[in-house]
Amino acid sequence: MLIVQKYGGTSVGTLERIDSVAQRVKAKKDEGNALVVVVSAMSGETNKLIEFAEHFSKNPNAREMDMLLSAGERVTSSLLAIALIELGCPAIAFSGRQAGMLTDNFHTKAKIEHIDPKPMQDALKEGKVVVVAGFQGINEFGDVTTLGRGGSDLSAVAIAGALNADVCEIYTDVDGVYTTDPRIEPKAKKLDKISYDEMLELASLGAKVLQNRSVELAKKLNINLVTKSSFNNNEGTLITGEKKMEGAIISGIALDKNQARVTVRNVDDKPGVAAKIFKELSDKEINVDMIIQNVGHDGNANLGFTVPQNELHKALDALKDLGDNFSVESDSDIVKVSIVGIGMKSHSGIASLAFSTLAKEGINIQMISTSEIRISVIVEAKYGELAVRVLHDAYELYK
Ligand code: ADP
Ligand code: ASP
Ligand code: MG
């Protein structure tokens, strides 16, 4: 079998952990498999490098940021290759460039455009384990790019696609995908299987166990994606194209702490105004999420929306650039709680149970948005984890 494995930050967080990963990899190789192993930086390393950069600049140059951030993964990939060779297992470490990973030019959130599989295939033919530094590639100018936070998951899935691997295994510090973050709700249940669509919603709504773009790509390429723990040998969670025909209505609850709310007051209540505001934001690559517009008075309306917290400054600057005479307020002290399930499509009363459950706890809902398979609410940050737990109970997800 050709297996692509990815080990996240905690799985390679110490030298002992890297040693234990090397032993796991060698054992798989000794069973006769071909392996490509994608690694993250040691846990906390990427955040540390960001803090270093922020010591010098509030808005560090994006190209230089990528040079800096890609270093974390370079360290773990070479250390793992050294450890493997020492165990008598032939191995070679590749940077993103050496692994043939070509991206577009959007530094710090680049998209993969193409992977040249030849260097990896050649090394595999020589019987080597290929260890790839995740989260990075190069652009057409030969500059290093990175793929956005959590991007090593995406590297692994893309490589699995390019090499036509039999399976892509994502190793992390929990046993798989749970009904909600097991660190928030210890009663959360591990799922044996989850559909690409539900996983994509959960990941996009804050469940960082898988990066959302990696799930999107796995769905597109129909890749066998499995999430497992690198700390034990328990069965993980299979992310699959199979749709559940029956069973749970709700598959999980996600909490997104990286949200901020922007309110724009006194916008002209006439056609084209929202278009102008949101075009400005999208031109600046700001991801706008929930949007509400209040009924206007005297030709004016209020517009509210959410953006990722780390894009708030950029959003406020963009609105300033518009130079209109509306007033802008923002609030970072909020979180988004989302309930996800394909079964929602065919069941009523799902939303009202969420609202009454939150009301019983005295948790005020600031914004609501729904789709066929999810309900999201914005609440005050201090209630986020409580909201997750009471909703998990209300939908009996522990069962
Ligand atoms: P890695 O460093 O391996 O990429 P991450 O920290 O990015 O790991 O993702 C794993 C973490 O995701 C877990 O430790 C857990 O706290 C969190 N998590 C959030 N939602 C879920 C969920 N529904 N199921 C499992 N883990 C979740
Ligand atoms: N090291 C990067 C991050 O912390 C990428 C990853 O871990 O997937 O975001
Ligand atoms: Mg991760």
Side-chain angles (χ1 to χ4, degrees), residues 5-80:
Q5 298 190 330
K6 177 255 168 178
Y7 291 91
T10 39
S11 301
V12 292
T14 62
L15 302 183
E16 290 72 31
R17 290 295 313 155
I18 293 178
D19 201 31
S20 129
V21 167
Q23 315 223 16
R24 279 176 169 266
V25 170
K26 180 174 187 294
K28 272 272 182 236
K29 174 85 168 48
D30 289 347
E31 286 170 19
N33 300 298
L35 273 108
V36 175
V37 181
V38 177
V39 287
S40 287
M42 293 167 111
S43 59
E45 189 62 23
T46 308
N47 287 342
K48 193 180 88 188
L49 294 173
I50 292 173
E51 272 171 35
F52 283 177
E54 286 174 349
H55 174 80
F56 299 102
S57 165
K58 273 209 188 78
N59 186 19
N61 177 282
R63 180 198 176 278
E64 305 313 319
M65 248 350 236
D66 278 348
M67 276 301 282
L68 177 69
L69 297 188
S70 60
E73 272 71 9
R74 292 282 295 267
V75 170
T76 41
S77 60
S78 41
L79 287 177
L80 180 57

Side-chain angles (χ1 to χ4, degrees), residues 6 8-9 40 149-153 170-172 208-211:
K6 177 255 168 178
S40 287
R149 296 309 302 269
S152 298
D153 295 341
I170 307 284
Y171 286 91
T172 183
K208 67 170 182 162
V209 61
L210 281 172
Q211 190 225 29

Side-chain angles (χ1 to χ4, degrees), residues 101-363:
M101 185 81 69
L102 196 72
T103 74
D104 66 15
N105 301 327
F106 281 102
H107 282 292
T108 75
K109 48 179 182 183
K111 294 200 169 61
I112 299 172
E113 287 190 334
H114 176 72
I115 297 180
D116 172 11
K118 187 146 188 318
M120 287 187 283
Q121 284 165 341
D122 288 348
L124 288 172
K125 263 187 223 137
E126 289 168 21
K128 291 177 178 154
V129 171
V130 179
V131 186
V132 180
F135 175 56
Q136 57 184 278
I138 53 157
N139 64 18
E140 57 183 320
F141 309 112
D143 285 325
V144 178
T145 52
T146 62
L147 308 176
R149 296 309 302 269
S152 298
D153 295 341
L154 181 62
S155 305
V157 170
I159 288 172
L163 295 176
N164 211 355
D166 296 289
V167 59
C168 180
E169 302 173 339
I170 307 284
Y171 286 91
T172 183
D173 57 358
V174 287
D175 283 359
V177 180
Y178 284 70
T179 46
T180 193
D181 188 339
R183 295 184 201 286
I184 297 175
E185 172 54 279
K187 284 187 286 177
K189 241 182 67 180
K190 198 195 78 190
L191 304 165
D192 296 330
K193 270 188 196 175
I194 185 169
S195 69
Y196 290 125
D197 290 331
E198 285 171 302
M199 190 62 235
L200 182 56
E201 288 284 329
L202 282 175
S204 304
L205 294 165
K208 67 170 182 162
V209 61
L210 281 172
Q211 190 225 29
N212 59 348
R213 284 164 57 197
S214 73
V215 182
E216 206 172 2
L217 188 64
K219 178 183 175 187
K220 194 169 136 198
L221 304 178
N222 200 22
I223 283 171
N224 278 320
L225 189 62
V226 179
T227 317
K228 290 182 176 186
S229 168
S230 69
F231 292 77
N232 58 45
N233 290 315
N234 296 348
E235 283 284 312
T237 301
L238 176 68
I239 295 98
T240 141
E242 228 174 274
K243 302 261 188 281
K244 272 182 295 193
M245 300 308 284
E246 51 190 330
I249 298 168
I250 306 297
S251 52
I253 297 177
L255 176 64
D256 185 350
K257 294 180 174 171
N258 179 31
Q259 291 282 311
R261 186 165 53 98
V262 179
T263 312
V264 188
R265 295 193 193 284
N266 297 325
V267 292
D268 285 344
D269 195 8
K270 65 177 190 208
V273 175
K276 191 165 114 186
I277 290 176
F278 292 116
K279 176 162 190 315
E280 183 70 19
L281 294 169
S282 78
D283 283 352
K284 302 233 153 86
E285 297 275 316
I286 296 161
N287 292 305
V288 174
D289 185 31
M290 291 193 184
I291 301 174
I292 47 171
Q293 180 166 347
N294 295 346
V295 180
H297 290 289
D298 308 324
N300 284 328
N302 295 336
L303 202 58
F305 55 88
T306 59
V307 296
Q309 228 170 70
N310 52 0
E311 293 177 9
L312 177 61
H313 275 291
K314 226 164 61 171
L316 296 177
D317 285 347
L319 291 169
K320 232 184 262 159
D321 287 349
L322 277 180
D324 278 321
N325 52 358
F326 43 68
S327 68
V328 180
E329 286 164 26
S330 67
D331 183 1
S332 298
D333 199 24
I334 56 142
V335 292
K336 180 164 67 180
V337 180
S338 306
I339 304 155
V340 172
I342 285 187
M344 257 184 226
K345 281 186 192 172
S346 47
H347 285 76
S348 55
I350 305 289
S352 63
L353 178 59
F355 304 150
S356 60
T357 303
L358 295 174
K360 231 182 277 162
E361 295 295 325
I363 301 174

